[in-house]
Amino acid sequence: MASEQVEAADDASALALKILVAGGFGVGKTTLVGSVSEIRPLRTEELLSEAGQLVDDTDCVDHKVTTTVAMDFGRITIRSGLALYLFGTPGQDRFWFIWDELSQGALGAVVLADTRRLEDCFPAVDYFEHRRIPFVVAVNCFPGARPYGAHDVSRALDLDQGTPVVLCDARDRDSGKEVLIRLVEYAGRMHTARLLDSVS
C-alpha cells in the first residue's frame, strides 16, 4: 500500500509535455510515434480509397495503403519525472482543421521532412512559425533518397536562424528519441527567452 502511494506521488509530480509530430503525407509521422512510444500507440488510420487518389499526392510513396485521418498518439519517458505525449497530425490538407485543436498547449513540434518531397513540409513550417510554436525539422532519411546535409535543408526551407535541423530514421527508437530531446532543449530555450523578453 505504501509503495503504491509513493508511485502515485511520483506520477503526480512528473512533468508531462505535449509534442506534435507533423509533416507532409507519407513522411513517416505514424512510424516515428510508433517507434518511440513506450505504450501501444493509438492510431486512426484508414485504407486509402479511390476517391482519395484524386486529392492525395502519392508520388514517391506509392506503396502506402493507409492514411491517418485524425491523429496518432504515443508516450515516451525521456528521463525520470519527464514524459512526452506525442500527437501525430494528419498530413493531408483536408484534415488540417484538426491541427488547431491538437496544437493547443503544445510545447513544440517535430516537422518531419522527406528530401524527395521537401516542398510537402512547407505548410507545417509556415503553420508553426506563424503561431510561434518552437519546432525542429527532422529529415527522415529514406533508403535510396539523395542525402542532404542539415545546412542544405535549412537553406532550402528558408528557416529562421537557429531552427534545428536533424537527420533521423523514423523507424529507429534511439534516433527518434534524439530528435525529441533536441526539440525539448530547443523549445525550453525559446520559451525561456520569450519569458525574459516579457519581463525586461
Side-chain angles (χ1 to χ4, degrees), residues 65-136:
V65 296
T66 61
T67 185
T68 299
V69 296
M71 67 172 188
D72 300 310
F73 174 77
R75 184 190 73 207
I76 178 173
T77 301
I78 296 296
R79 58 171 170 74
S80 178
L82 176 60
L84 304 183
Y85 289 92
L86 309 175
F87 292 82
T89 66
Q92 303 96 309
D93 296 4
R94 65 186 186 277
F95 295 127
W96 279 3
F97 65 92
I98 298 172
W99 286 38
D100 288 336
E101 289 292 327
L102 292 179
S103 65
Q104 293 295 319
L107 173 78
V110 173
V111 175
L112 271 177
D114 178 352
T115 56
R116 301 169 302 176
R117 299 158 49 107
L118 198 58
E119 67 280 0
D120 288 0
C121 71
F122 274 115
V125 169
D126 290 343
Y127 182 91
F128 296 121
E129 283 183 344
H130 180 69
R131 287 159 181 79
R132 301 186 74 219
I133 297 174
F135 67 94
V136 301

Side-chain angles (χ1 to χ4, degrees), residues 51-68:
Q53 291 177 358
L54 300 174
V55 290
D56 295 330
D57 180 8
T58 57
D59 186 37
C60 296
V61 289
D62 52 355
H63 63 283
K64 188 172 174 61
V65 296
T66 61
T67 185
T68 299

Side-chain angles (χ1 to χ4, degrees), residues 132-179:
R132 301 186 74 219
I133 297 174
F135 67 94
V136 301
V137 173
V139 179
N140 193 6
C141 299
F142 285 90
R146 181 179 169 187
Y148 289 91
H151 179 71
D152 294 328
V153 173
S154 179
R155 193 168 53 186
L157 293 176
D158 193 27
L159 298 176
D160 291 340
Q161 187 174 5
T163 302
V165 176
V166 294
L167 307 182
C168 74
D169 181 344
R171 303 166 298 179
D172 181 76
R173 187 175 197 275
D174 289 338
S175 180
K177 185 175 180 179
E178 184 60 33
V179 169

